[in-house]
Amino acid sequence: MNKTELVETVAEKAGLSKKDSEKALAAIIDTIVNSLAKGEKVQLVGFGTFETRVHKERTNINPQTKEKQVIPETTVPAFKPGKAFKDAVK
């Protein structure tokens, strides 16, 4: 399912126009992204938790040149599905 199909399904289930459901979906995604950028968690009970995780700095070796490279610490987004979500997918 792509974004267009999701918007159509949400519009149908919620009784909204496609334009309104697209605005709602965009607002939800924007809110989640902005919250994660601030370092906050977004927890949707029954669905899951969006959070950020820190990958520590590490050293890597280039297999071609055998040169050591330092990969800096990075923060990445992560999603942990909730129990109800996991059970529904089983």
Side-chain angles (χ1 to χ4, degrees):
M1 177 179 282
N2 61 29
K3 185 177 177 182
T4 304
E5 294 168 340
L6 181 61
V7 167
E8 289 173 4
T9 305
V10 169
E12 199 174 289
K13 288 190 176 195
L16 299 171
S17 69
K18 288 182 187 177
K19 198 170 205 173
D20 287 343
S21 51
E22 186 172 359
K23 284 181 186 179
L25 182 61
I28 291 168
I29 292 170
D30 190 46
T31 302
I32 292 171
V33 169
N34 288 336
S35 295
L36 292 179
K38 293 178 192 173
E40 300 171 352
K41 279 186 182 181
V42 177
Q43 185 173 1
L44 304 172
V45 176
F47 182 69
T49 304
F50 295 92
E51 60 188 359
T52 56
R53 295 187 183 145
V54 176
H55 288 184
K56 295 180 183 177
E57 182 179 284
R58 61 193 189 278
T59 304
N60 189 22
I61 298 175
N62 184 333
Q64 292 180 342
T65 63
K66 308 295 184 208
E67 181 183 337
K68 289 188 177 183
Q69 300 170 323
V70 176
I71 299 171
E73 182 177 274
T74 58
T75 303
V76 295
F79 176 74
K80 182 180 176 187
K83 184 178 180 339
F85 185 29
K86 286 181 194 176
D87 291 343
V89 173
K90 276 187 180 179

Coordinates of all heavy atoms in Angstrom, one line a residue:
M1 N 0.9 -1.2 0.0 CA 0.0 0.0 0.0 C 0.9 1.2 0.0 O 1.8 1.4 0.8 CB -0.9 0.0 1.2 CG -1.8 1.2 1.4 SD -2.9 1.2 2.8 CE -4.1 0.1 2.3
N2 N 0.6 2.1 -0.9 CA 1.4 3.4 -0.9 C 0.6 4.5 -0.3 O -0.5 4.3 0.2 CB 1.8 3.7 -2.4 CG 0.6 4.0 -3.3 OD1 -0.5 4.4 -2.9 ND2 0.8 3.7 -4.6
K3 N 1.1 5.7 -0.3 CA 0.5 6.8 0.4 C -0.9 7.2 -0.2 O -1.8 7.4 0.6 CB 1.4 8.1 0.4 CG 0.9 9.2 1.2 CD 1.9 10.4 1.1 CE 1.3 11.6 1.9 NZ 2.2 12.7 1.8
T4 N -1.0 7.1 -1.5 CA -2.3 7.4 -2.2 C -3.3 6.5 -1.8 O -4.5 6.8 -1.4 CB -2.1 7.5 -3.7 OG1 -1.1 8.4 -4.0 CG2 -3.4 7.9 -4.4
E5 N -3.0 5.2 -1.8 CA -3.9 4.2 -1.4 C -4.3 4.3 0.1 O -5.5 4.1 0.5 CB -3.4 2.8 -1.6 CG -3.2 2.5 -3.1 CD -2.3 1.2 -3.4 OE1 -1.6 0.8 -2.5 OE2 -2.4 0.7 -4.5
L6 N -3.4 4.7 1.0 CA -3.6 4.9 2.4 C -4.6 6.0 2.6 O -5.5 5.9 3.3 CB -2.3 5.1 3.1 CG -2.5 5.3 4.6 CD1 -3.1 4.1 5.3 CD2 -1.1 5.6 5.2
V7 N -4.4 7.1 1.9 CA -5.3 8.3 1.9 C -6.7 7.9 1.5 O -7.6 8.3 2.2 CB -4.7 9.5 1.1 CG1 -5.8 10.5 0.9 CG2 -3.5 10.0 1.7
E8 N -6.8 7.1 0.4 CA -8.1 6.7 0.0 C -8.8 5.8 1.0 O -10.0 6.0 1.3 CB -8.0 5.9 -1.4 CG -7.6 6.8 -2.5 CD -7.3 6.0 -3.8 OE1 -7.5 4.8 -3.8 OE2 -6.9 6.7 -4.8
T9 N -8.1 4.9 1.6 CA -8.7 4.0 2.6 C -9.1 4.8 3.8 O -10.2 4.5 4.4 CB -7.7 2.9 3.0 OG1 -7.2 2.2 1.8 CG2 -8.3 1.9 3.9
V10 N -8.3 5.7 4.3 CA -8.6 6.5 5.5 C -9.8 7.4 5.2 O -10.8 7.5 6.0 CB -7.4 7.4 5.9 CG1 -7.8 8.4 6.9 CG2 -6.3 6.5 6.4
A11 N -9.9 7.9 4.0 CA -11.0 8.8 3.6 C -12.3 8.0 3.6 O -13.4 8.4 4.1 CB -10.8 9.4 2.2
E12 N -12.2 6.7 3.1 CA -13.4 5.9 3.0 C -13.9 5.5 4.4 O -15.0 5.5 4.7 CB -13.0 4.6 2.2 CG -14.2 3.8 1.7 CD -13.7 2.7 0.8 OE1 -13.2 3.0 -0.3 OE2 -13.7 1.6 1.2
K13 N -12.9 5.0 5.3 CA -13.3 4.5 6.6 C -13.7 5.7 7.5 O -14.6 5.4 8.4 CB -12.1 3.8 7.2 CG -11.9 2.5 6.6 CD -10.9 1.6 7.4 CE -10.8 0.3 6.7 NZ -10.1 -0.7 7.6
A14 N -13.1 6.9 7.4 CA -13.5 8.0 8.3 C -14.6 8.8 7.8 O -15.1 9.7 8.5 CB -12.2 8.8 8.6
G15 N -15.0 8.6 6.5 CA -16.1 9.4 6.0 C -15.6 10.8 5.7 O -16.4 11.8 5.7
L16 N -14.3 11.0 5.3 CA -13.7 12.3 5.0 C -13.5 12.3 3.5 O -13.5 11.3 2.8 CB -12.4 12.5 5.7 CG -12.4 12.4 7.2 CD1 -11.0 12.4 7.7 CD2 -13.2 13.7 7.8
S17 N -13.2 13.5 3.0 CA -12.8 13.7 1.6 C -11.3 13.3 1.5 O -10.6 13.2 2.5 CB -13.0 15.1 1.1 OG -12.0 16.0 1.8
K18 N -10.9 12.9 0.3 CA -9.5 12.6 0.1 C -8.6 13.7 0.5 O -7.5 13.5 1.1 CB -9.3 12.1 -1.3 CG -9.9 10.8 -1.7 CD -9.6 10.4 -3.1 CE -10.3 9.2 -3.5 NZ -10.1 8.8 -4.9
K19 N -9.0 14.9 0.2 CA -8.2 16.1 0.5 C -8.0 16.2 2.0 O -6.9 16.5 2.5 CB -8.8 17.3 -0.1 CG -7.9 18.5 -0.2 CD -8.6 19.6 -1.0 CE -7.5 20.5 -1.7 NZ -8.1 21.4 -2.6
D20 N -9.1 16.1 2.8 CA -9.0 16.2 4.2 C -8.2 15.1 4.8 O -7.4 15.3 5.8 CB -10.4 16.2 4.8 CG -11.2 17.5 4.6 OD1 -10.5 18.5 4.2 OD2 -12.4 17.5 4.7
S21 N -8.4 13.8 4.3 CA -7.6 12.7 4.9 C -6.1 12.9 4.5 O -5.2 12.5 5.3 CB -8.1 11.4 4.5 OG -8.3 11.3 3.2
E22 N -5.8 13.4 3.4 CA -4.4 13.7 3.0 C -3.8 14.7 4.0 O -2.6 14.6 4.4 CB -4.3 14.1 1.6 CG -2.8 14.2 1.1 CD -2.7 14.5 -0.4 OE1 -3.7 14.6 -1.1 OE2 -1.6 14.6 -0.8
K23 N -4.5 15.8 4.3 CA -4.1 16.8 5.2 C -3.8 16.2 6.6 O -2.9 16.5 7.3 CB -5.1 17.9 5.3 CG -5.1 18.9 4.1 CD -6.1 20.0 4.4 CE -6.2 20.9 3.2 NZ -7.2 22.0 3.4
A24 N -4.8 15.3 7.0 CA -4.6 14.7 8.3 C -3.4 13.8 8.4 O -2.7 13.8 9.4 CB -5.9 13.9 8.7
L25 N -3.2 13.0 7.4 CA -2.1 12.1 7.3 C -0.8 12.9 7.3 O 0.2 12.6 8.0 CB -2.1 11.2 6.1 CG -1.0 10.2 5.9 CD1 -1.0 9.2 7.1 CD2 -1.2 9.4 4.7
A26 N -0.7 14.0 6.5 CA 0.5 14.8 6.5 C 0.7 15.4 7.8 O 1.9 15.5 8.3 CB 0.3 15.9 5.4
A27 N -0.3 15.9 8.5 CA -0.1 16.5 9.9 C 0.4 15.4 10.9 O 1.3 15.8 11.7 CB -1.5 17.0 10.3
I28 N -0.1 14.2 10.8 CA 0.3 13.2 11.7 C 1.8 12.9 11.4 O 2.6 12.8 12.4 CB -0.5 11.9 11.5 CG1 -1.9 12.1 12.1 CG2 0.1 10.7 12.2 CD1 -2.9 11.0 11.7
I29 N 2.2 12.7 10.2 CA 3.6 12.4 9.9 C 4.5 13.5 10.3 O 5.6 13.3 10.9 CB 3.7 12.1 8.4 CG1 3.0 10.7 8.0 CG2 5.2 12.0 7.9 CD1 2.9 10.4 6.6
D30 N 4.1 14.7 10.0 CA 4.9 15.9 10.4 C 5.1 16.0 11.9 O 6.2 16.3 12.4 CB 4.2 17.2 9.8 CG 5.1 18.4 10.0 OD1 6.3 18.3 9.6 OD2 4.6 19.5 10.4
T31 N 4.0 15.7 12.6 CA 4.1 15.8 14.1 C 5.0 14.7 14.6 O 5.8 15.0 15.5 CB 2.7 15.6 14.7 OG1 1.8 16.6 14.2 CG2 2.7 15.7 16.2
I32 N 5.0 13.5 14.1 CA 5.9 12.5 14.5 C 7.3 12.8 14.2 O 8.2 12.7 15.1 CB 5.5 11.1 13.9 CG1 4.1 10.6 14.4 CG2 6.6 10.1 14.1 CD1 3.5 9.4 13.7
V33 N 7.6 13.3 13.0 CA 8.9 13.7 12.6 C 9.5 14.8 13.5 O 10.6 14.7 14.0 CB 9.0 14.1 11.1 CG1 10.3 14.7 10.8 CG2 8.7 12.9 10.3
N34 N 8.7 15.8 13.8 CA 9.1 17.0 14.6 C 9.4 16.5 16.0 O 10.3 17.0 16.7 CB 8.1 18.1 14.6 CG 8.1 18.8 13.2 OD1 9.1 18.8 12.5 ND2 7.0 19.4 12.9
S35 N 8.5 15.6 16.6 CA 8.7 15.1 17.9 C 10.0 14.3 18.0 O 10.8 14.5 19.0 CB 7.5 14.3 18.4 OG 6.4 15.1 18.4
L36 N 10.3 13.5 17.1 CA 11.5 12.7 17.1 C 12.7 13.6 16.9 O 13.8 13.3 17.6 CB 11.5 11.6 16.0 CG 10.5 10.5 16.2 CD1 10.5 9.5 15.0 CD2 10.6 9.8 17.5
A37 N 12.6 14.6 16.1 CA 13.7 15.6 16.0 C 14.1 16.3 17.3 O 15.2 16.6 17.5 CB 13.4 16.6 14.9
K38 N 13.1 16.5 18.1 CA 13.3 17.1 19.4 C 13.8 16.1 20.5 O 14.0 16.4 21.6 CB 12.0 17.7 20.0 CG 11.5 18.9 19.2 CD 10.2 19.3 19.7 CE 9.5 20.3 18.8 NZ 8.1 20.6 19.3
G39 N 13.8 14.8 20.1 CA 14.3 13.8 21.0 C 13.1 13.2 21.9 O 13.4 12.4 22.8
E40 N 11.9 13.5 21.5 CA 10.7 12.9 22.2 C 10.3 11.6 21.6 O 10.5 11.3 20.5 CB 9.6 13.9 22.1 CG 9.9 15.3 22.7 CD 8.8 16.3 22.4 OE1 7.9 16.0 21.7 OE2 8.9 17.4 23.0
K41 N 9.6 10.8 22.4 CA 9.0 9.6 22.0 C 7.6 9.9 21.6 O 6.9 10.8 22.1 CB 8.9 8.5 23.1 CG 10.2 7.8 23.3 CD 9.9 6.7 24.4 CE 11.1 5.9 24.7 NZ 10.9 4.8 25.7
V42 N 7.0 9.1 20.6 CA 5.6 9.2 20.3 C 5.1 7.8 20.5 O 5.4 6.8 19.8 CB 5.4 9.6 18.8 CG1 3.9 9.6 18.4 CG2 6.0 11.0 18.6
Q43 N 4.2 7.6 21.5 CA 3.6 6.3 21.8 C 2.2 6.3 21.5 O 1.4 7.1 22.0 CB 3.8 6.0 23.3 CG 3.4 4.7 23.7 CD 3.8 4.3 25.1 OE1 4.3 5.2 25.8 NE2 3.5 3.1 25.6
L44 N 1.8 5.4 20.6 CA 0.4 5.2 20.3 C 0.0 3.8 20.8 O 0.4 2.7 20.3 CB 0.2 5.2 18.7 CG 0.7 6.4 18.0 CD1 0.7 6.3 16.5 CD2 -0.1 7.6 18.4
V45 N -0.8 3.8 21.9 CA -1.1 2.6 22.6 C -1.9 1.6 21.7 O -2.8 2.0 21.0 CB -2.0 2.9 23.9 CG1 -2.4 1.6 24.6 CG2 -1.2 3.8 24.8
G46 N -1.4 0.4 21.7 CA -2.0 -0.6 20.8 C -1.4 -0.7 19.4 O -1.5 -1.6 18.7
F47 N -0.6 0.4 19.0 CA 0.0 0.4 17.7 C 1.5 0.3 17.9 O 2.1 -0.7 17.3 CB -0.3 1.7 17.0 CG 0.3 1.8 15.6 CD1 -0.2 0.9 14.6 CD2 1.3 2.7 15.3 CE1 0.4 1.0 13.3 CE2 1.9 2.7 14.1 CZ 1.4 1.9 13.1
G48 N 2.1 1.2 18.6 CA 3.6 1.1 18.8 C 4.2 2.4 19.2 O 3.5 3.4 19.5
T49 N 5.5 2.4 19.3 CA 6.2 3.6 19.8 C 7.3 4.0 18.7 O 8.1 3.1 18.3 CB 7.0 3.3 21.1 OG1 6.0 2.8 22.1 CG2 7.7 4.5 21.7
F50 N 7.3 5.2 18.4 CA 8.3 5.8 17.5 C 9.3 6.5 18.5 O 8.9 7.2 19.4 CB 7.7 6.9 16.6 CG 6.8 6.4 15.6 CD1 5.4 6.3 15.9 CD2 7.2 5.9 14.4 CE1 4.5 5.8 14.9 CE2 6.3 5.4 13.4 CZ 4.9 5.4 13.7
E51 N 10.6 6.2 18.3 CA 11.6 6.8 19.1 C 12.9 6.9 18.3 O 13.0 6.5 17.2 CB 11.8 5.9 20.4 CG 12.3 4.5 20.1 CD 12.3 3.6 21.3 OE1 12.0 4.1 22.4 OE2 12.7 2.4 21.1
T52 N 13.9 7.6 19.0 CA 15.2 7.7 18.3 C 16.2 6.8 19.1 O 16.0 6.6 20.3 CB 15.7 9.1 18.3 OG1 15.8 9.6 19.6 CG2 14.8 10.0 17.4
R53 N 17.2 6.3 18.4 CA 18.2 5.5 19.0 C 19.5 6.0 18.6 O 19.7 6.5 17.4 CB 18.1 4.0 18.6 CG 16.8 3.4 19.2 CD 16.7 1.9 18.9 NE 15.4 1.4 19.4 CZ 14.8 0.5 18.8 NH1 15.2 -0.1 17.8 NH2 13.6 0.1 19.3
V54 N 20.5 5.9 19.4 CA 21.9 6.4 19.1 C 22.8 5.3 18.8 O 22.8 4.3 19.5 CB 22.4 7.2 20.3 CG1 23.9 7.6 20.0 CG2 21.6 8.4 20.7
H55 N 23.4 5.3 17.6 CA 24.4 4.4 17.2 C 25.7 5.0 17.6 O 26.1 6.0 17.1 CB 24.3 4.1 15.7 CG 23.2 3.3 15.3 ND1 23.0 2.9 14.0 CD2 22.1 2.8 16.0 CE1 21.9 2.2 13.9 NE2 21.3 2.1 15.1
K56 N 26.5 4.3 18.5 CA 27.7 4.8 19.0 C 28.8 4.9 17.8 O 28.7 4.2 16.8 CB 28.2 3.9 20.1 CG 27.4 3.9 21.3 CD 27.9 3.0 22.4 CE 27.0 3.0 23.6 NZ 27.5 2.1 24.6
E57 N 29.8 5.7 18.1 CA 30.9 5.9 17.1 C 31.6 4.5 17.1 O 31.8 3.8 18.1 CB 31.8 6.9 17.6 CG 33.0 7.2 16.7 CD 33.9 8.3 17.2 OE1 33.5 9.5 17.1 OE2 35.0 7.9 17.8
R58 N 32.0 4.1 15.9 CA 32.7 2.9 15.7 C 33.8 3.0 14.6 O 33.7 3.9 13.8 CB 31.7 1.7 15.4 CG 30.9 1.9 14.2 CD 29.8 0.9 14.1 NE 29.1 1.0 12.8 CZ 28.2 1.8 12.4 NH1 27.8 2.8 13.2 NH2 27.7 1.8 11.2
T59 N 34.7 2.0 14.7 CA 35.7 2.0 13.7 C 35.4 0.9 12.7 O 35.0 -0.2 13.0 CB 37.1 1.7 14.4 OG1 37.3 2.7 15.4 CG2 38.2 1.7 13.4
N60 N 35.6 1.2 11.4 CA 35.4 0.2 10.3 C 36.6 0.1 9.5 O 37.4 1.0 9.4 CB 34.2 0.8 9.5 CG 33.8 -0.3 8.5 OD1 33.9 -1.4 8.6 ND2 33.1 0.2 7.4
I61 N 36.8 -1.0 8.9 CA 38.0 -1.2 8.0 C 37.5 -1.4 6.6 O 36.7 -2.2 6.3 CB 38.8 -2.5 8.5 CG1 39.3 -2.3 9.9 CG2 40.0 -2.7 7.5 CD1 40.0 -3.5 10.4
N62 N 38.1 -0.6 5.7 CA 37.7 -0.7 4.3 C 38.4 -1.9 3.7 O 39.6 -2.1 3.8 CB 38.3 0.6 3.5 CG 37.9 0.6 2.1 OD1 37.7 -0.4 1.5 ND2 37.8 1.8 1.5
P63 N 37.6 -2.9 3.2 CA 38.2 -4.2 2.8 C 39.2 -4.0 1.6 O 40.1 -4.9 1.4 CB 37.0 -5.0 2.5 CG 35.9 -4.1 2.4 CD 36.2 -2.9 3.1
Q64 N 39.0 -3.0 0.8 CA 39.9 -2.9 -0.4 C 41.2 -2.3 0.0 O 42.3 -2.7 -0.5 CB 39.2 -2.0 -1.4 CG 38.0 -2.6 -2.0 CD 37.3 -1.8 -3.1 OE1 37.6 -0.6 -3.1 NE2 36.5 -2.4 -3.9
T65 N 41.2 -1.2 0.8 CA 42.5 -0.5 1.2 C 43.0 -0.9 2.5 O 44.1 -0.5 2.9 CB 42.3 1.0 1.1 OG1 41.3 1.3 2.1 CG2 41.8 1.4 -0.2
K66 N 42.3 -1.6 3.3 CA 42.6 -2.0 4.7 C 42.8 -0.8 5.6 O 43.4 -0.8 6.7 CB 43.9 -2.9 4.8 CG 43.9 -4.1 3.9 CD 42.8 -5.1 4.3 CE 43.0 -6.3 3.4 NZ 41.7 -7.0 3.3
E67 N 42.2 0.4 5.1 CA 42.3 1.6 5.9 C 41.2 1.6 6.9 O 40.1 1.3 6.7 CB 42.2 2.8 4.9 CG 42.2 4.1 5.6 CD 42.0 5.2 4.5 OE1 42.2 5.0 3.3 OE2 41.6 6.3 5.0
K68 N 41.6 2.1 8.1 CA 40.6 2.2 9.2 C 39.8 3.5 9.0 O 40.4 4.6 8.7 CB 41.2 2.2 10.6 CG 41.8 0.8 10.9 CD 42.2 0.8 12.4 CE 42.7 -0.6 12.7 NZ 43.1 -0.7 14.1
Q69 N 38.5 3.4 9.2 CA 37.6 4.6 9.1 C 36.9 4.7 10.4 O 36.4 3.7 10.9 CB 36.7 4.5 7.9 CG 37.3 4.3 6.6 CD 36.3 4.0 5.5 OE1 35.3 3.2 5.8 NE2 36.5 4.5 4.3
V70 N 36.7 6.0 10.9 CA 35.8 6.2 12.0 C 34.4 6.6 11.6 O 34.3 7.6 10.8 CB 36.4 7.3 13.0 CG1 35.5 7.5 14.1 CG2 37.8 6.8 13.4
I71 N 33.4 5.8 12.0 CA 32.1 6.2 11.6 C 31.5 6.9 12.8 O 31.5 6.4 14.0 CB 31.2 4.9 11.3 CG1 31.9 4.2 10.1 CG2 29.8 5.2 11.1 CD1 31.3 2.8 9.9
P72 N 31.1 8.2 12.7 CA 30.7 9.0 13.8 C 29.3 8.5 14.4 O 28.6 7.8 13.8 CB 30.5 10.4 13.2 CG 30.3 10.2 11.8 CD 31.0 8.9 11.4
E73 N 29.1 8.9 15.6 CA 27.9 8.6 16.3 C 26.7 9.2 15.6 O 26.8 10.4 15.1 CB 27.9 9.2 17.7 CG 26.7 8.9 18.6 CD 26.9 9.4 20.0 OE1 27.4 8.7 20.8 OE2 26.4 10.6 20.2
T74 N 25.6 8.5 15.4 CA 24.5 9.0 14.7 C 23.2 8.6 15.4 O 23.1 7.7 16.2 CB 24.3 8.4 13.3 OG1 24.2 6.9 13.4 CG2 25.5 8.7 12.4
T75 N 22.2 9.4 15.3 CA 20.9 9.2 15.8 C 19.9 8.8 14.7 O 19.8 9.5 13.7 CB 20.3 10.5 16.5 OG1 21.3 10.9 17.5 CG2 19.0 10.2 17.2
V76 N 19.2 7.7 14.9 CA 18.4 7.2 13.9 C 16.9 6.9 14.4 O 16.8 6.7 15.6 CB 18.9 5.8 13.3 CG1 20.2 6.0 12.6 CG2 19.0 4.8 14.4
P77 N 15.9 7.1 13.6 CA 14.6 6.8 14.0 C 14.3 5.3 14.1 O 14.9 4.5 13.4 CB 13.7 7.4 12.9 CG 14.5 7.4 11.7 CD 16.0 7.6 12.2
A78 N 13.5 4.9 15.1 CA 13.1 3.5 15.3 C 11.7 3.4 15.6 O 11.0 4.3 16.1 CB 14.0 2.9 16.4
F79 N 11.1 2.2 15.3 CA 9.7 1.9 15.6 C 9.7 0.6 16.3 O 10.2 -0.4 15.8 CB 8.9 1.9 14.3 CG 7.4 1.5 14.6 CD1 6.6 2.4 15.2 CD2 7.0 0.2 14.3 CE1 5.2 2.0 15.5 CE2 5.7 -0.2 14.5 CZ 4.8 0.7 15.1
K80 N 9.0 0.6 17.4 CA 8.8 -0.7 18.2 C 7.3 -1.0 18.2 O 6.5 -0.2 18.8 CB 9.3 -0.6 19.6 CG 9.2 -1.8 20.4 CD 9.7 -1.6 21.8 CE 9.5 -2.9 22.6 NZ 9.8 -2.7 24.0
P81 N 6.8 -2.0 17.5 CA 5.4 -2.3 17.5 C 4.8 -2.7 18.8 O 5.5 -3.4 19.6 CB 5.3 -3.4 16.4 CG 6.6 -4.0 16.4 CD 7.6 -3.0 16.7
G82 N 3.6 -2.3 19.1 CA 2.9 -2.7 20.3 C 2.4 -4.1 20.2 O 2.3 -4.8 19.2
K83 N 2.0 -4.7 21.4 CA 1.5 -6.0 21.5 C 0.3 -6.3 20.6 O 0.2 -7.3 19.9 CB 1.2 -6.4 22.9 CG 0.8 -7.9 23.1 CD 0.5 -8.2 24.6 CE 0.1 -9.6 24.9 NZ -0.5 -10.4 23.8
A84 N -0.7 -5.4 20.6 CA -1.9 -5.5 19.8 C -1.5 -5.6 18.3 O -2.1 -6.3 17.6 CB -2.9 -4.4 20.1
F85 N -0.6 -4.7 17.9 CA -0.2 -4.7 16.5 C 0.5 -6.0 16.1 O 0.2 -6.6 15.1 CB 0.8 -3.5 16.3 CG 1.2 -3.3 14.9 CD1 0.4 -3.6 13.8 CD2 2.4 -2.7 14.6 CE1 0.8 -3.3 12.5 CE2 2.9 -2.4 13.3 CZ 2.0 -2.8 12.3
K86 N 1.4 -6.5 17.0 CA 2.1 -7.8 16.7 C 1.1 -8.9 16.6 O 1.2 -9.8 15.7 CB 3.1 -8.1 17.8 CG 4.3 -7.3 17.8 CD 5.2 -7.7 19.0 CE 6.3 -6.8 19.3 NZ 7.1 -7.2 20.4
D87 N 0.1 -8.9 17.5 CA -0.9 -10.0 17.5 C -1.8 -10.0 16.3 O -2.1 -11.0 15.8 CB -1.8 -9.9 18.8 CG -1.0 -10.3 20.1 OD1 0.1 -10.9 20.0 OD2 -1.5 -9.9 21.2
A88 N -2.1 -8.8 15.8 CA -2.9 -8.6 14.6 C -2.2 -9.1 13.4 O -2.9 -9.6 12.5 CB -3.4 -7.2 14.5
V89 N -0.9 -9.0 13.3 CA -0.1 -9.4 12.2 C 0.1 -10.9 12.1 O 0.3 -11.4 11.1 CB 1.2 -8.6 12.1 CG1 2.1 -9.0 11.0 CG2 0.9 -7.1 11.9
K90 N 0.2 -11.5 13.3 CA 0.5 -12.9 13.4 C -0.4 -13.8 12.5 O -1.5 -13.7 12.3 CB 0.3 -13.5 14.8 CG 1.5 -13.2 15.6 CD 1.4 -13.9 16.9 CE 2.6 -13.6 17.8 NZ 2.5 -14.3 19.1

